[in-house]
Structure formats: structure tokens, C-alpha cells
Amino acid sequence: MDWLATVEMKDWLVVIATLLSPLIAVQVTKWLDRRNQAREEQIRIFKTLMATRAATLDPRHVESLNSIDVVFSANDKKQKEIRRYWKQYLDHLNDKNYPVGHWGTKRVELLVDLLNSMGSYLDFDFDKTQYKNESYFPQGYSSLEDDQTAIRKAVLEVLDGKRPLPMFVVNLPSQETQPGTDRNKNEG
């Protein structure tokens, strides 16, 4: 054990560093992987919201909105700001007392603020006009949504008894040609 007395502190540090370096490297790699995975998830949510910003009834849009609290959950200033914009937007979406004529305009404004905050955090260089106006939503999609809404409402009104279901008889078979009637039996 005399050799222990001759080992200097720097030698002990080299031994400890040699033993701990693989463990430290693995932990740093895991941390970097988690951080990269979190950023990829944030970008996925942002891209989905951008792709569906003109079709806010799209299930992917709704799912992405509902994921914001989980995906942007860190306590840094920017992620807190994103969650604050999301809460404002959610509050508006659930507000049944907001003036009907202005509800849609305010909804778009709040969604733009949310997307702008997310885009800024994720280093996308867009301005608010791009978030608001630069999306494609074909008129056919809008007509389809309007038609489906009208059909659903009309069916519900019929089922609730608020609207009659009109029926028109177009062609009745004559009694003379119906098999099994008394008239057919007498002729034979």
C-alpha cells in the first residue's frame, strides 16, 4: 500500500475522470436526445397548426391545440408566453357570450398571436400577415363544410320534431292490377 501514498491528486483525478467519462457522455447524449425530441415535437405541432389554420375544425388542428400545454411545458419565458396565448385563444373559443358578429374576427386575431409566438420561439421568420392571410382553403372545402352543417341541422330538426319530413306519393299502383284483390278474383 506504499504506492497509494505516492499517487498524487492529479493522478486520482485522471482515474476518476476515466471512470466517470462514459457515464457522463451517456447522460449528456440522453439529455441532448430529449431536447431534440422535444423541439421536433414542437415543430410538428406548429407545422400542423400552420397547415390547418384555415380549417380549424380539422381534427389534426384541434389535437395540436390540445397538445400545446404538454409540448410547450418548460418554464422559460417564451414557452410561458405560448401557453398564455393558447389560454387566451381557448378562453375565446369557449366564450358563448361574445358578440356573434365579431367572434370570428377575434378568433383569427388570437390564433395569429398564438402562431406568431410559436413561430418566433421556433425561429421561423414570418410576420402576422403571413399567418393570417397566406393559407389556401379552396372554396369547395368551404361549400362542403357549409352543406354538411346545413344537412346536419336539418336532420336534427326533423329528429327533434321541429321540422316536418315532407312526403309526396308519386305513383300508386292501381287496385285492378294488384294481385290478390277481390276484383282480380271476380274476373277469372
Side-chain angles (χ1 to χ4, degrees):
M1 293 276 211
D2 290 334
W3 65 272
L4 281 175
T6 62
V7 177
E8 295 181 24
M9 180 59 105
K10 68 178 180 171
D11 296 328
W12 282 114
L13 292 175
V14 168
V15 169
I16 291 170
T18 302
L19 293 174
L20 290 180
S21 62
L23 178 64
I24 293 169
V26 167
Q27 293 304 316
V28 168
T29 301
K30 284 182 179 180
W31 179 80
L32 289 172
D33 286 346
R34 280 192 306 269
R35 191 182 79 181
N36 289 339
Q37 183 180 6
R39 180 160 174 83
E40 287 172 14
E41 184 68 9
Q42 291 168 342
I43 290 173
R44 186 189 65 77
I45 295 294
F46 177 72
K47 283 182 175 181
T48 302
L49 290 174
M50 287 293 289
T52 60
R53 69 187 182 270
T56 58
L57 294 179
D58 186 307
R60 296 171 301 143
H61 186 84
V62 174
E63 180 182 319
S64 293
L65 286 173
N66 286 321
S67 300
I68 289 173
D69 283 328
V70 174
V71 175
F72 292 91
S73 61
N75 283 325
D76 64 73
K77 182 180 177 183
K78 286 283 203 172
Q79 289 191 47
K80 282 183 178 180
E81 178 182 89
I82 292 168
R83 290 193 308 272
R84 182 175 57 80
Y85 280 119
W86 161 230
K87 285 176 183 35
Q88 288 174 354
Y89 185 51
L90 178 62
D91 185 56
H92 180 72
L93 293 175
N94 291 323
D95 188 356
K96 307 287 189 254
N97 299 317
Y98 201 84
V100 176
H102 301 288
W103 188 89
T105 304
K106 182 69 173 176
R107 183 197 62 76
V108 170
E109 178 185 311
L110 291 170
L111 178 59
V112 166
D113 288 342
L114 173 63
L115 291 173
N116 187 53
S117 177
M118 291 172 79
S120 173
Y121 174 74
L122 296 169
D123 296 324
F124 286 92
D125 188 24
F126 298 131
D127 60 37
K128 286 188 175 188
T129 303
Q130 288 173 293
Y131 291 115
K132 183 178 178 183
N133 298 328
E134 293 184 10
S135 64
Y136 177 60
F137 191 71
Q139 181 60 40
Y141 283 179
S142 181
S143 296
L144 181 65
E145 282 185 5
D146 292 345
D147 291 348
Q148 288 175 341
T149 300
I151 291 168
R152 279 194 305 269
K153 285 181 178 181
V155 168
L156 284 174
E157 287 175 358
V158 169
L159 293 175
D160 288 342
K162 296 176 182 174
R163 174 187 282 205
L165 182 61
M167 299 175 111
F168 302 100
V169 177
V170 177
N171 188 9
L172 282 176
S174 109
Q175 288 185 343
E176 294 175 7
T177 60
Q178 287 183 336
T181 61
D182 291 333
R183 208 176 281 237
N184 288 341
K185 289 181 186 177
N186 294 335
E187 291 178 3

